[in-house]
């Protein structure tokens, strides 16, 4: 039988000090990294972060806006290095990219920010190749200091592929939402060759509800849609002109230190 090790009283103060300092170190950072907490709520449960989301001037910059809503949730506004391509190849930009703090008290359109222009130069809309550029932000001029890891599922599903979308949502729920990571999804519009991006922020299987925020309704806070409508219907109301549905495409980005395992669409 193994005997219990003896801890001599003389070293107990050092052990207590070590424990105290270890807890102090854990709480010493001013930056709250919601994507790497040990105990994580789904993003929609942090409701105060979604009461007001940054607006866009029209519909053209919904992609960068959906990215920004998640960046705001991560509290990642600040200055970041990135690379530019010139005649000599790729090189660090002379000036960092500034992601501003946009609030109801300090409003601005995503369209007019350097971040919006970094992701999307023209107001005609985004695609996944543009939104994926969020992976090109660095905390310093070090190739190993990338701000985000990114995964894009650009595999489109047809209207009747409800079970494929169900499997993808379950995958997102287990591998991302439960680790505090929202996702950007694409909605296919009833108008040909058009669509819309929103930030998907949670799913409650017990209630059968899905939660998202939308730059075109930036003062409305968290939007709720019934699960079966989200999977199978043209649930999104674009006013008098169009409706839209989730086409199964989605994208996630998170801090590299987070224990996220996301490498497939989730079919």
């Amino acid at each position: 039988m193994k005997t219990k090790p003896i801890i001599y009283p003389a070293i107990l103060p050092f052990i207590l000090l070590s424990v105290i300092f270890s807890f102090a170190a854990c709480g010493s950072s001013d930056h709250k990294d919601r994507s790497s907490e040990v105990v994580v709520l789904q993003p929609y449960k942090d409701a105060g972060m979604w009461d007001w989301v940054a607006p866009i001037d029209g519909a053209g910059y919904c992609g960068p806006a959906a990215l920004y809503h998640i960046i705001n949730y991560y509290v990642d506004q600040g200055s970041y290095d990135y690379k530019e391509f010139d005649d000599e190849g790729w090189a660090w930009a002379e000036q960092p990219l500034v992601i501003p703090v946009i609030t109801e008290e300090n409003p601005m359109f995503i369209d007019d920010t350097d971040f919006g222009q970094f992701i999307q130069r023209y107001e005609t809309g985004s695609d996944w190749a543009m939104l994926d550029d969020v992976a090109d932000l660095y905390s310093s001029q070090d190739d190993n200091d990338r701000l985000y890891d990114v995964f894009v599922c650009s595999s489109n599903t047809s209207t009747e592929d409800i079970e494929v979308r169900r499997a993808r949502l379950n995958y997102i729920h287990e591998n991302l939402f439960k680790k505090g990571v929202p996702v950007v999804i694409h909605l296919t519009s009833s108008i040909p060759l058009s669509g819309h991006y929103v930030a998907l922020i949670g799913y409650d299987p017990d209630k059968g509800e899905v939660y998202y925020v939308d730059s075109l309704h930036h003062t409305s806070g968290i939007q709720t849609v019934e699960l079966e409508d989200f999977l199978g219907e043209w649930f999104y109301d674009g006013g008098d002109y169009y409706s839209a549905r989730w086409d199964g495409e989605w994208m996630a980005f998170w801090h590299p230190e987070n224990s996220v395992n996301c490498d497939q669409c989730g079919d």
Side-chain angles (χ1 to χ4, degrees):
M1 182 176 70
K2 292 184 178 179
T3 58
K4 226 175 173 182
I6 299 174
I7 300 177
Y8 293 97
I11 67 170
L12 283 175
F14 296 99
I15 295 174
L16 291 173
L17 284 173
S18 174
V19 171
I20 291 170
F21 282 118
S22 68
F23 277 110
C26 290
S28 62
S29 174
D30 292 331
H31 176 78
K32 184 176 182 182
D33 180 359
R34 287 184 173 81
S35 71
S36 60
E37 293 173 349
V38 175
V39 178
V40 180
L41 296 175
Q42 286 196 60
Y44 81 94
K45 293 188 176 182
D46 197 353
M49 296 300 297
W50 310 104
D51 287 342
W52 188 95
V53 293
I56 56 178
D57 187 10
Y61 280 81
C62 56
L67 294 178
Y68 182 86
H69 300 158
I70 296 174
I71 288 171
N72 179 69
Y73 175 71
Y74 290 158
V75 198
D76 277 348
Q77 295 93 337
S79 298
Y80 297 99
D81 290 295
Y82 65 99
K83 289 183 177 180
E84 292 181 314
F85 189 80
D86 57 24
D87 295 337
E88 298 180 359
W90 288 98
W92 293 106
E94 292 184 4
Q95 298 294 328
L97 176 73
V98 176
I99 303 178
V101 176
I102 303 174
T103 64
E104 192 170 7
E105 294 72 32
N106 183 41
M108 62 186 76
F109 292 126
I110 295 293
D111 323 34
D112 301 329
T113 65
D114 289 342
F115 172 74
Q117 294 298 314
F118 171 76
I119 297 296
Q120 176 186 315
R121 294 185 60 189
Y122 307 104
E123 62 183 21
T124 50
S126 307
D127 58 24
W128 293 121
M130 294 181 189
L131 301 190
D132 187 52
D133 284 349
V134 74
D136 296 331
L137 298 177
Y138 294 81
S139 297
S140 68
Q141 292 188 8
D142 181 342
D143 288 334
N144 297 314
D145 203 10
R146 191 184 295 273
L147 181 60
Y148 298 120
D149 286 338
V150 177
F151 176 78
V152 175
C153 172
S154 58
S155 172
N156 189 281
T157 62
S158 61
T159 307
E160 62 271 15
D161 292 333
I162 295 174
E163 294 310 312
V164 174
R165 290 190 290 279
R166 190 187 308 276
R168 291 185 184 183
L169 179 62
N170 287 333
Y171 178 85
I172 292 168
H173 177 239
E174 290 298 321
N175 293 278
L176 296 162
F177 288 159
K178 286 186 175 182
K179 296 186 177 181
V181 178
V183 303
V184 176
I185 64 170
H186 184 257
L187 308 178
T188 288
S189 169
S190 56
I191 301 175
L193 302 177
S194 64
H196 187 46
Y197 294 96
V198 299
L200 199 67
I201 62 174
Y203 165 46
D204 187 328
D206 295 328
K207 292 183 178 180
E209 294 178 342
V210 180
Y211 308 96
Y212 68 96
V213 290
D214 181 9
S215 56
L216 289 178
H217 300 278
H218 69 278
T219 62
S220 298
I222 297 174
Q223 309 289 295
T224 304
V225 57
E226 296 296 321
L227 172 63
E228 298 307 321
D229 290 341
F230 176 73
L231 295 176
E233 299 293 334
W234 296 77
F235 74 90
Y236 184 84
D237 182 4
D240 297 333
Y241 301 103
Y242 74 96
S243 58
R245 68 172 183 87
W246 181 35
D247 57 18
E249 298 180 13
W250 60 274
M251 165 187 172
F253 59 99
W254 60 91
H255 297 132
E257 63 269 22
N258 194 1
S259 57
V260 168
N261 181 19
C262 173
D263 58 4
Q264 57 178 292
C265 285
D267 296 7

